[in-house]
Amino acid sequence: MGHRVLVVDDDATVSDVVRRYLEQAGCEVRLAADGADGLAAIAAQLPDLVVLDLMMPGIDGLEVCRRIRRRLPGLPVIMLTALGEEADRVLGLEVGADDYVTKPFSPRELVLRIQSVLRRTGGQAADPGPATTLREADLTVDTARRVAERHGAPLSLTVREFDLLVFLMRHPGRAWSRADLLDKVWGWQFGDQSTVTVHVRRLREKIEADPADPTRIRTVWGVGYSYEPLDPGRQR
């Protein structure tokens, strides 16, 4: 893989296991024992991806993720959590995590999740199609450079949000279930479908004139979501 991964976890045993598996996969790995050390490590050398524990003393994983998103919206974050409640997992996604893995976890599964996210940042999205520029009304999305703009201003999209937007824009007017989107965008054959719900909500906040009354990403009751272009003639 050849990517730089920062692991932020106060559990030295977990950090060491994750480090060994990632190094076997070809990653360069740095460890940070708490949130403050993690933020300092990011400032010293920008990683390609952060593996971030949710529950840590001092600055917890949620606050670390918030600070990362304010400064580095495109930096992939995978959150580790020992909490089983859906609300806790959703909270991690709400603050901007691209993915999460629940403890106890399989290190091999974590490596696969990391590889999946890093493939996208390398320009190999789940449904890549031709490298092109998508334009629709006030939205412009450059899939090769992974840059999205609205009214000419850059949008701060996470890896998953960008992938979701590109996929929906390339398939206008079609209704997709949350399971469909997990498969097509996340590359998961199964998983927590609330992940899709949270990412749709966050994406609406960035591309809709009124996120509470969305006109682009429509809810199709009993099915899922569809993308309805504001200006169908301009989308390509």
Side-chain angles (χ1 to χ4, degrees):
M1 293 167 61
H3 291 97
R4 296 189 302 270
V5 177
L6 174 65
V7 179
V8 186
D9 196 317
D10 63 322
D11 188 326
T13 300
V14 171
S15 293
D16 186 61
V17 170
V18 172
R19 176 187 58 78
R20 287 189 287 108
Y21 272 82
L22 285 172
E23 288 179 346
Q24 289 172 8
C27 291
E28 175 188 332
V29 182
R30 289 182 295 153
L31 303 181
D34 56 36
D37 286 347
L39 290 169
I42 293 170
Q45 182 184 41
L46 185 65
D48 296 309
L49 181 143
V50 177
V51 177
L52 179 62
D53 187 36
L54 176 63
M55 301 297 293
M56 292 184 292
I59 305 175
D60 65 15
L62 292 174
E63 180 58 25
V64 172
C65 191
R66 289 189 187 98
R67 296 187 189 186
I68 289 173
R69 283 293 164 253
R70 285 197 293 266
R71 294 182 50 245
L72 301 162
L75 176 61
V77 175
I78 293 181
M79 193 162 280
L80 301 179
T81 173
L83 303 176
E85 294 297 324
E86 179 179 339
D88 297 309
R89 299 195 300 270
V90 167
L91 185 57
L93 296 171
E94 289 280 12
V95 299
D98 293 286
D99 202 349
Y100 69 87
V101 176
T102 303
K103 296 178 179 179
F105 59 86
S106 161
R108 290 186 178 86
E109 177 190 357
L110 177 59
V111 171
L112 290 174
R113 294 286 184 93
I114 290 169
Q115 289 172 331
S116 172
V117 173
L118 288 173
R119 277 197 299 270
R120 286 159 169 78
T121 60
Q124 300 175 30
D127 178 44
T132 188
T133 299
L134 302 172
R135 294 186 178 89
E136 184 265 306
D138 57 0
L139 277 179
T140 303
V141 180
D142 185 329
T143 63
R145 295 172 54 232
R146 293 186 67 85
V147 173
E149 297 179 345
R150 183 169 178 238
H151 294 301
L155 292 173
S156 295
L157 301 180
T158 67
V159 174
R160 298 298 193 188
E161 290 166 359
F162 185 91
D163 289 343
L164 180 60
L165 176 60
V166 169
F167 182 82
L168 291 173
M169 288 183 71
R170 283 181 169 158
H171 301 87
R174 175 170 174 177
W176 300 93
S177 69
R178 293 190 298 174
D180 289 335
L181 293 172
L182 274 179
D183 181 22
K184 301 294 185 181
V185 180
W186 275 255
W188 300 357
Q189 299 302 313
F190 56 89
D192 184 355
Q193 294 185 9
S194 65
T195 300
V196 176
T197 305
V198 173
H199 280 83
V200 166
R201 184 186 310 137
R202 287 175 54 85
L203 188 55
R204 281 171 168 166
E205 291 171 355
K206 298 174 182 181
I207 70 169
E208 298 281 4
D210 180 2
D213 185 21
T215 55
R216 278 186 161 118
I217 304 179
R218 300 284 189 92
T219 297
V220 181
W221 298 108
V223 181
Y225 305 100
S226 69
Y227 188 87
E228 303 297 334
L230 302 183
D231 185 359
R234 289 193 60 194
Q235 188 174 20
R236 67 178 187 272

